[in-house]
Amino acid sequence: MKNFVGAATQGFRTVFAGGTSLFWVAPIIPLIAIVPEFVQHIAEIRMGMFESRVAFSALANDETRWMFGYAKIAGLFIAILAAARYWGGLRESWWDLRNIAWKPFLIAVVLQIALAGLLAGLEQVVPSSIKDVVDLAIMILTLPLLVYLVGPILGDHTMTLKRAYSSGWVKAIAIGVFGFLAFWPAQQLHGLNHEWAFGAAAWQVWALMIWDTLLVGLMACWMGSALAAGYLFGEDAEDHGSMAAPEPAA
């Protein structure tokens, strides 16, 4: 129990203290999410989206907004992965894509896409009365796929699908718990920022959107740090010798 408490404490420290510290130890990481987020907010304000809730709903799917939205989504995901790599042991080379274990990573991506397709297909055939049960069962059974995806991103060349299922359950649960705690509260506040902006004075809208932009950058850093904290749960984050690619045989 003592080891579990220590590991959990270290995980929370990595997620929230470590994630927040990226704003000054590696500011380019939050900026990857912040810049496109703020650019989209500028477009939304100029389009008049915050004049009212009705205006926001009417323009939510506007092509101009989504032109910036795609860049925002890409920036968010890149920042999350960058934060994960930084706290996953690649502080000096988080930007160097050569240390990703590309083969298992690409296999993991294909499996995630296949899983998404399976879930979409089940939506059409599973009775609504048992849909929630089936969704939960599939989510539990496929949790190790998340470990199989995160490991290669962090440069773990030893991660395999077999290893993810044989010894990755604790990591998968830790990733899920830390990820939820990093995302859910920040996402709720993100939504409230928009609610508060509807019909507000121009200076208030700008102030709220500047704060919201910083919040999104912080959320990206927390979520990426959560991936690293979960994957390294109970391990020494500084010791990654076992994750290196094996040396070729002599």
Side-chain angles (χ1 to χ4, degrees), residues 4-18:
F4 174 82
V5 172
T9 300
Q10 178 58 43
F12 283 116
R13 186 180 298 120
T14 297
V15 174
F16 296 107

Side-chain angles (χ1 to χ4, degrees), residues 145-202:
L145 292 181
L146 185 57
V147 176
Y148 187 48
L149 177 69
V150 174
I153 292 171
L154 303 186
D156 187 351
H157 291 260
T158 70
M159 180 51 63
T160 63
L161 186 58
K162 179 180 179 180
R163 182 182 163 211
Y165 268 93
S166 63
S167 61
W169 288 95
V170 172
K171 292 179 184 292
I173 293 170
I175 289 173
V177 171
F178 288 137
F180 174 79
L181 294 175
F183 171 78
W184 191 83
Q187 178 61 25
Q188 300 310 302
L189 184 53
H190 176 57
L192 286 174
N193 286 337
H194 288 72
E195 292 284 339
W196 294 331
F198 294 145

Side-chain angles (χ1 to χ4, degrees), residues 39 42 60 71 75 89 97 111 113 117 129 147 192-193 219 236 249:
V39 170
I42 293 174
L97 301 184
L111 289 175
I113 294 173
S129 59
V147 176
L192 286 174
N193 286 337
M219 181 168 63
D236 183 354

Side-chain angles (χ1 to χ4, degrees), residues 23 29-30 33-34 76 79 212-222:
F23 273 74
I29 293 177
I34 286 172
L76 180 66
D212 188 67
T213 297
L214 295 174
L215 176 64
V216 169
L218 183 61
M219 181 168 63
C221 291
W222 282 352

